[in-house]
Amino acid sequence: MRRRLPWSFWLGLALVGLLLAVALLSLLWTPFPVGQVRVVARLRPPGGANWLGTDHFGRDVLSLLMVGARNSLAVAAAAVGLGAALGVPLGLAAAALGRWGDELVARLGDLVFAFPAVLSAILLTAVLGAGAVNVVLALGLFNAAVLARVTRGAALAVWRREFVRAALALGRGPLSVTLVHVLPNVLGVVVVQTTVLFAVAIVNEAALSYLGLGVQPPSPSWGKMLGDAQTHLFTAPLQAVFPGLAIALSVLGLTLLGDGLRDWLDPRHRSSGLL
């Protein structure tokens, strides 16, 4: 009998779908141009033409949030994509080669884990300069180390299975066994981990933009909006609430999506009341 997807998956999918829809809509339409500065309309409360109010430059907050969603998703997707492109093959190779190959990948991972993702991004941007590209590079290398370790662990378990030993006995090489038998059996674990890393990348991008190291003006970002709002917390507290809420809902959606996929793919997490 086919297992049903848990409720957490559908709730997470709805939140992520809403985020994607807003980001795609911002390519075609925003209530106001994001670069339109209206000093006479600065720090207006929500209402009227400005549904979520205006910031300290008189820019429409809703428009900034919509374009900020696009920028956050672009940076996070690029960082996770780079991490997957590097980490998954490394993890598969480590499991297939064993001995020196496995040890080499493990030590490279330890080297990357010695520096947290945000700290690595700060160091990299200090050398190469602030910008979204350097943030993607720093976060992508950290994601590669995570995915390499996760993929390696899952792949080693598959290599011990009887059908893999049978394939080796029939004369299949390590590359063929990896592509035909190992990779399909670890994809579920990789997909779940990727959703978690996507949520982490959004938070890290916001943190770096808050510090002025991520997406650079005039392009808006949620982290930069939080940084700008901190000087107006007492006069216009909603300026910080809206981008903070956008970050929280995005992370919540991706986390629920990952949890739902994990529950669906792993029979050990089944619950008769939810599945």
Side-chain angles (χ1 to χ4, degrees), residues 25-244:
L25 180 61
S26 70
L27 293 170
L28 304 175
W29 173 85
T30 55
F32 292 88
V34 293
Q36 183 179 13
V37 176
R38 297 174 299 161
V39 178
V40 294
R42 63 189 304 268
L43 297 178
R44 282 183 177 176
N50 304 107
W51 295 351
L52 300 183
T54 59
D55 69 354
H56 59 296
F57 287 130
R59 299 175 297 181
D60 182 63
V61 171
L62 178 58
S63 301
L64 294 174
L65 285 174
M66 292 174 66
V67 180
R70 186 177 73 208
N71 291 334
S72 294
L73 282 177
V75 172
V80 173
L82 177 61
L86 296 175
V88 174
L90 280 176
L92 292 173
L97 295 174
R99 296 183 181 178
W100 65 269
D102 190 11
E103 186 68 18
L104 178 61
V105 172
R107 298 292 77 78
L108 288 174
D110 292 339
L111 179 62
V112 174
F113 287 135
F115 300 93
V118 174
L119 179 59
S120 299
I122 292 175
L123 292 174
L124 188 63
T125 52
V127 176
L128 301 179
V133 175
N134 294 332
V135 170
V136 168
L137 181 59
L139 298 180
L141 291 177
F142 184 83
N143 291 338
V146 174
L147 286 171
R149 179 163 293 187
V150 170
T151 304
R152 168 186 169 273
L156 285 175
V158 176
W159 274 97
R160 301 188 186 100
R161 303 284 294 274
E162 288 76 9
F163 65 87
V164 172
R165 296 178 180 176
L168 292 173
L170 291 174
R172 287 185 177 271
L175 179 60
S176 176
V177 171
T178 297
L179 295 178
V180 176
H181 298 288
V182 178
L183 180 58
N185 284 280
V186 303
L187 275 180
V189 177
V190 171
V191 169
V192 172
Q193 186 63 44
T194 298
T195 60
V196 175
L197 290 177
F198 208 116
V200 174
I202 288 178
V203 174
N204 287 337
E205 186 279 329
L208 291 168
S209 294
Y210 176 86
L211 297 173
L213 302 175
V215 177
Q216 296 298 297
S219 296
S221 69
W222 292 340
K224 182 61 176 173
M225 291 176 69
L226 282 174
D228 293 338
Q230 68 179 349
T231 57
H232 306 285
L233 285 178
F234 296 104
T235 56
L238 291 179
Q239 298 296 312
V241 170
F242 292 130

Side-chain angles (χ1 to χ4, degrees), residues 64 127 140 229 250 255 274:
L64 294 174
V127 176
S250 301
T255 302
L274 297 177

